[in-house]
Amino acid sequence: MNMKALLLASFVVSLAFTVAKANVGFAVYHTHNTPSACYQNEDKGPWITGVSHALWNNRGACGRNYKVTCIGGANMAPHPCRGGSVIVKVTDLCDSCAGDLNLSQEAFNAIADPKAGKIRIRYDPV
């Protein structure tokens, strides 16, 4: 009986740490990749994102990777999520965005219908 209780307690603690590091917010998308505030004219490929000023940390966010999952619509689109997740690299500041992350169009399209324009997301540092 004690072993079952210990295993259950370990599972609950593990789950709590996993949930604690997850962030929930909003994502929009952009159609240009360069220049960026982190890498100027260096092309970092399609799996990139800009971040809001709250995440920017005076360029400290540059190069950080996030696993991003669509969890619902933010506008009138009833079911924008496609399922799955993408991993994106922070390459830019998006101070005027209407979201926490400003995903590349390719990254947004991989997890949601672009017609939604804005989605609710979970984004986890990786």
Side-chain angles (χ1 to χ4, degrees):
M1 186 70 167
N2 286 340
M3 184 60 136
K4 286 183 182 179
L6 182 61
L7 286 174
L8 180 59
S10 296
F11 175 74
V12 169
V13 168
S14 172
L15 183 59
F17 280 116
T18 300
V19 171
K21 75 173 187 174
N23 298 296
V24 175
F26 295 97
V28 294
Y29 70 92
H30 66 277
T31 57
H32 64 283
N33 296 335
T34 55
S36 72
C38 296
Y39 302 103
Q40 291 75 40
N41 291 317
E42 189 177 335
D43 184 1
K44 291 296 183 180
W47 306 107
I48 59 173
T49 189
V51 295
S52 67
H53 189 68
L55 297 172
W56 182 240
N57 192 24
N58 197 27
R59 283 193 156 76
C62 290
R64 185 174 294 148
N65 292 305
Y66 287 106
K67 179 180 178 183
V68 183
T69 306
C70 178
I71 59 172
N75 294 322
M76 299 304 286
H79 305 289
C81 300
R82 298 185 191 275
S85 301
V86 292
I87 295 177
V88 293
K89 177 186 289 286
V90 175
T91 61
D92 211 351
L93 168 65
C94 189
D95 209 14
S96 62
C97 291
D100 301 284
L101 300 182
N102 185 20
L103 300 170
S104 65
Q105 187 172 5
E106 294 87 349
F108 191 99
N109 188 49
I111 61 171
D113 183 347
K115 291 178 187 173
K118 183 177 183 180
I119 55 173
R120 291 183 306 121
I121 57 168
R122 184 180 72 239
Y123 56 104
D124 306 311
V126 291

